Amino acid sequence: MQRIFPFSRTYNFRELGGYPTQDGRQIRWHKILRSGYLTELTSSELQQLKAYGLRYVVDLRSDYEQQSWPDPTPNFLTIYSLPLYPAEGNGARLYQTLPPSDQYHDLGQIYQQAVLDRHSQKVFRQFFQILLANDQPNQSLVFHCAAGKDRTGILAILFLLLMKVPVNYIIQDYLLTNLMYQKDVDLRALDNPQDTTIQAMNFTRAEQTAVPAIQRAITDIYGSWTNFQQQILHLSTSDYQRLQDLYTIQPQN
């Protein structure tokens, strides 16, 4: 199966399918994808994605980014606008309550503050409800930001942790972004004069500390992943089972 889509001017578009889970299953192919901005998708690439089963787009970018570099709007796509920023500020305050040994810096700090922030958590809840609604066979969803690294990366990490993918695979998937931007590519859509924090993040390489940073912030503040799942993501036991049924499968021997 194909993990990376070699599109002409759309970068970091890739599958989350195929990763194993700790309970012996694997993430379904043709169900959930991640990407950078989609503005430059060509007509033929859109038709390829239609045939692939893509039906839903979750756009995590700011209003400014969405207006400056809009997603394509073919009639087979439903687009959800879920800007992950700006933060409300409580995430930064909660970050200060973490044990000093668990306070990460640089991208790790930003990610920890994001997963603890009330606004981001509202977006997480909406995102997982959209995932639950993606319940038809042979239909897939893509979520994206500008580079497909930070905002997209945070949600990918949360999703893969929820599906019990081993951490080494989650780190591997996150770091793939660094390979996507090694060539001489046009990165104008990563230039965000309206938000210098987002702009700086877009041009920063992915760091493997991102995954443990998120894990430690969640377990330190909420006690366990299960508490975060139930109290913050508002996912019941039946919701979780439904997500497993929709997004994982027993591999064929």
Side-chain angles (χ1 to χ4, degrees):
M1 288 286 199
Q2 179 182 28
R3 181 162 307 284
I4 298 169
F5 289 70
F7 292 143
S8 59
R9 292 180 60 81
T10 299
Y11 310 111
N12 213 4
F13 197 112
R14 46 195 168 95
E15 261 277 4
L16 284 178
Y19 290 122
T21 67
Q22 294 171 353
D23 55 1
R25 298 172 69 83
Q26 69 178 29
I27 305 299
R28 289 182 186 269
W29 295 93
H30 286 257
K31 197 63 184 172
I32 183 166
L33 307 102
R34 56 177 294 173
S35 182
Y37 71 101
L38 307 180
T39 310
E40 303 287 353
L41 283 170
T42 66
S43 296
S44 62
E45 290 167 349
L46 284 168
Q47 288 306 305
Q48 177 184 343
L49 289 171
K50 180 181 180 180
Y52 197 81
L54 185 64
R55 295 296 181 270
Y56 304 102
V57 174
V58 177
D59 191 341
L60 304 169
R61 299 174 301 163
S62 66
D63 291 340
Y64 170 80
E65 291 169 293
Q66 293 183 31
Q67 292 164 9
S68 299
W69 299 280
D71 282 344
T73 56
N75 58 14
F76 66 88
L77 286 181
T78 299
I79 299 175
Y80 297 93
S81 173
L82 295 182
L84 192 60
Y85 297 121
E88 289 192 16
N90 69 303
R93 292 192 296 273
L94 285 172
Y95 166 82
Q96 296 299 331
T97 71
L98 296 174
S101 60
D102 288 352
Q103 290 181 356
Y104 283 69
H105 303 287
D106 303 319
L107 281 182
Q109 177 179 344
I110 294 171
Y111 289 10
Q112 287 184 315
Q113 292 177 355
V115 298
L116 300 175
D117 185 80
R118 280 189 296 262
H119 171 75
S120 299
Q121 291 173 351
K122 180 180 177 181
V123 171
F124 300 157
R125 289 192 288 273
Q126 293 172 305
F127 175 71
F128 281 103
Q129 289 304 308
I130 294 169
L131 291 191
L132 284 167
N134 179 29
D135 60 358
Q136 296 303 301
N138 305 313
Q139 291 190 1
S140 59
L141 171 150
V142 64
F143 58 102
H144 78 96
C145 53
K149 173 174 67 73
D150 301 306
R151 290 163 286 186
T152 299
I154 289 169
L155 276 178
I157 290 167
L158 292 179
F159 169 76
L160 294 173
L161 285 172
L162 185 67
M163 294 293 100
K164 293 185 169 57
V165 172
V167 169
N168 60 311
Y169 284 98
I170 301 176
I171 293 173
Q172 172 186 303
D173 179 80
Y174 174 71
L175 292 177
L176 275 177
T177 289
N178 290 337
L179 300 179
M180 301 297 101
Y181 291 100
Q182 288 186 327
K183 297 179 181 178
D184 183 18
V185 297
D186 183 353
L187 300 178
R188 285 177 298 173
L190 308 188
D191 186 14
N192 187 347
Q194 293 292 311
D195 193 315
T196 55
T197 299
I198 291 176
Q199 179 173 281
M201 291 167 66
N202 285 343
F203 289 101
T204 301
R205 288 176 60 82
E207 301 169 356
Q208 69 178 51
T209 55
V211 179
I214 287 175
Q215 286 182 297
R216 292 188 185 183
I218 288 173
T219 54
D220 284 348
I221 298 300
Y222 303 105
S224 70
W225 174 260
T226 300
N227 288 342
F228 183 77
Q229 170 191 319
Q230 296 175 348
Q231 298 170 14
I232 303 303
L233 301 182
H234 294 179
L235 293 172
S236 66
T237 301
S238 60
D239 289 334
Y240 176 71
Q241 185 59 57
R242 183 63 176 151
L243 282 169
Q244 278 196 314
D245 291 342
L246 289 171
Y247 291 93
T248 69
I249 191 172
Q250 193 71 37
Q252 299 290 329
N253 292 328

